[in-house]
Amino acid sequence: MSQPSAPTGDHHVDVDVVVVGAGFAGLAMLRELRDVRGMSVRVLEAGDDVGGVWFWNRYPGARCDVDSTDYSYTFSPELDAEWDWSERYATQPEILRYVRHVAEKFDLYRDVSLGSRVTTADWDEATGHWDVVCENGLTARGRYLVMATGCLSAVKRPELDGIEDFAGQVLHTADWPAEPVDLTGRRVGVIGTGSSGIQVIPAIAPSVEQLVVFQRTPTFSVPARHQVLTDADRAALRAELPQRRELLRNSPTGLSVPITRRSALDDDEETRRRHYEEQWASAGFGFLLAYNDLLVNKASNDTAADFIRGKIAERVPDPELAEKLTPRTYPYGAKRPCVDTGFYETFNRPNVTLVDISESPLAKVTATSLHTTTTEYELDVIVFATGFDAMTGSLLRPTITGRDGETLREHWRSGPLTYLGLATAGFPNMFIVAGPGSPSLLGNVMVSIEQHVDWISELLTRSAAEGTPTIEAAPDAEAEWVVRVNAAAAPTLYMEAASYYLGAEVPGKPRVFMPYAGGLRRYRRECDEVAQAGYRGFTRTA
Ligand code: N01
């Protein structure tokens, strides 16, 4: 534990608001509620430091894939003025330094209990409070409970027969050891080629003796176009910061990418190719916004998907290998797209092998090897880059019990039910930051986080002033919002991939589209209208 924190252990705190999670969302909530709204707050954090996913995901090559300037807090001009990002996409250590800097600068550590993983939270109807219990014995009571536990934080470890017998090291990208892991000269197997896999694979390939990549579904990835920022770059970014922030706030994605009104089908083939080449050369994640209909029109999407497939063939000269790496079964962007630095090229190295486990699935692990149904691979290290139980995992792992003894797991047994993604009926005074039913994962999550923090804080402040501190989403408002979330997703190509947006990442998870696909701008408008209408859809009582 590198920073001072509120004492942990077997004791109790009584506050206005209990916040769960000290990542970007939890810390923003703490600062806003405590320093701006004057409430008492305790943040309960499972990790030994602040940072959330940026604390745990310490794997080699981990960095943000949204421009650092856009993946920053916007509440403090002083913070902006004193913090300089060193690279276009900050590395995990630099992001963690930033979060710690924020926690120190705004004196947040004193209200964070580290090493305190929440196991239960119970609504006490008689007193109108939440009682929260942590694994380490700490208990907390608050009028409000804010779950800031992240959409991609509940680590997914697929069951693999015999894994406990493996004599080598087993690692997960999202739970990477804090102490250095030396992979030099070792035989390493990586399972998974999502955003984490495509970062760790090129990062470790040059130093390991042998790298075997077990790929179930090929990935669409475009070059990140990563760059180290010079003083001149930073000066330019600083100068454009106000306009850039305005663009973020008003965009559907929270990205500072100019919005085009052009369909991919508006351009002839040559113009379209030129446009894609330009985007390919610089856009990174923004490639998905090269035209305005890539996520809603299959014919348009095909033009982008074909362009990327062509690039994979250029990047990987061996046609058989290139074909194995080429996604063909779902539209580009329907699963969360990746940006990479040298991912496909890594497979051209003599020490890297691609194993297509859609053809021959993983079968078992023995003391020395990982076996597919056809082949044995002798390994020293197995790295799971298999992602998360997305969106609902971190909310359902603790047992949260609301009104009448109903647990959140029971309430959400057919999929998450929320009003605006912020609250759920039967769970009074509980709020969720960047949860299911909000745009969160479908754009720059930092923009969602700040919007949620502001909106929830204003609701709590106004309810206190009006003498109605008990706030609950009405069941009909919740039901109507769920219909709206489904309706926003229905016409999109998101519905055509077995993605974590749809709950396909965990066997048995309800298959419902979880984030709100109507865009951040529209969502912000919806939330503002609800507030202006006296928080329509919420029951507020004394
Ligand atoms: O996880 P994923 P991730 N057997 O779910 C495979 C954010 N993020 O950690 O596609 C075999 O995307 C799975 O295969 P399939 C970002 O939002 C951001 O990579 O299910 N394979 C897939 O290939 C991202 O989207 C950053 O067939 C199995 C991979 O494992 C999200 O986190 C960096 C399997 C999982 O991919 C999650 O990314 C990293 C099994 N049982 C992450 N189960 C940046 O900002 C899963 N797989 C840069």
Side-chain angles (χ1 to χ4, degrees), residues 369-513:
S369 309
L370 179 50
H371 296 247
T372 65
T373 46
T374 55
T375 313
E376 171 181 1
Y377 297 89
E378 285 192 10
L379 299 170
D380 304 310
V381 183
I382 296 175
V383 175
F384 285 96
T386 47
F388 306 89
D389 179 349
M391 302 212 80
T392 52
S394 66
L395 294 163
L396 297 181
R397 286 189 182 177
T399 299
I400 301 178
T401 308
R403 218 188 263 292
D404 303 326
E406 186 189 33
T407 63
L408 193 60
R409 253 173 252 141
E410 286 160 354
H411 190 55
W412 287 7
R413 59 189 164 273
S414 304
L417 307 172
T418 68
Y419 180 39
L420 299 170
L422 298 168
T424 185
F427 295 78
N429 287 3
M430 182 182 97
F431 297 94
I432 305 166
V433 181
S438 83
S440 57
L441 283 183
L442 297 183
N444 178 358
V445 75
M446 283 296 291
V447 180
S448 278
I449 286 173
E450 290 201 324
Q451 187 259 342
H452 287 180
V453 165
D454 290 348
W455 198 91
I456 294 167
S457 303
E458 182 61 19
L459 169 59
L460 301 197
T461 308
R462 276 179 50 186
S463 297
E466 291 163 14
T468 55
T470 302
I471 308 162
E472 185 176 353
D476 55 342
E478 177 179 273
E480 193 203 324
W481 184 250
V482 171
V483 170
R484 300 271 292 283
V485 170
N486 290 331
T492 69
L493 299 173
Y494 286 125
M495 305 309 283
E496 295 186 21
S499 72
Y500 63 63
Y501 301 139
L502 261 168
E505 81 288 14
V506 175
K509 190 165 169 172
R511 287 282 182 117
V512 288
F513 194 81

Side-chain angles (χ1 to χ4, degrees), residues 84-139:
D84 274 326
W85 291 108
S86 65
E87 306 184 56
R88 177 177 179 189
Y89 304 105
T91 60
Q92 175 269 335
E94 188 171 11
I95 298 174
L96 196 53
R97 273 202 302 283
Y98 174 76
V99 187
R100 286 174 171 156
H101 172 75
V102 171
E104 277 169 15
K105 179 179 174 62
F106 297 96
D107 193 18
L108 302 179
Y109 276 107
R110 75 179 148 93
D111 288 311
V112 179
S113 292
L114 300 172
S116 302
R117 181 178 292 283
V118 169
T119 52
T120 61
D122 291 276
W123 172 248
D124 179 349
E125 182 71 34
T127 63
H129 281 79
W130 281 95
D131 288 311
V132 184
V133 176
C134 300
E135 219 166 55
N136 63 3
L138 174 68
T139 57

Side-chain angles (χ1 to χ4, degrees), residues 137-153:
L138 174 68
T139 57
R141 161 165 272 235
R143 188 179 278 282
Y144 298 102
L145 174 68
V146 176
M147 298 301 290
T149 43
C151 310
L152 295 162
S153 52

Side-chain angles (χ1 to χ4, degrees), residues 28-74:
M29 201 81 225
L30 166 58
R31 192 205 69 93
E32 177 70 24
L33 289 175
R34 189 192 68 185
D35 298 348
V36 182
R37 313 282 174 163
M39 302 175 98
S40 62
V41 182
R42 176 59 60 99
V43 181
L44 306 174
E45 166 56 50
D48 287 339
D49 204 341
V50 297
V53 290
W54 296 107
F55 171 76
W56 297 103
N57 284 258
R58 315 175 183 102
Y59 58 88
R63 59 169 83 238
C64 192
D65 59 10
V66 171
D67 288 59
S68 313
T69 316
D70 302 338
Y71 198 83
S72 307
Y73 288 121
T74 66

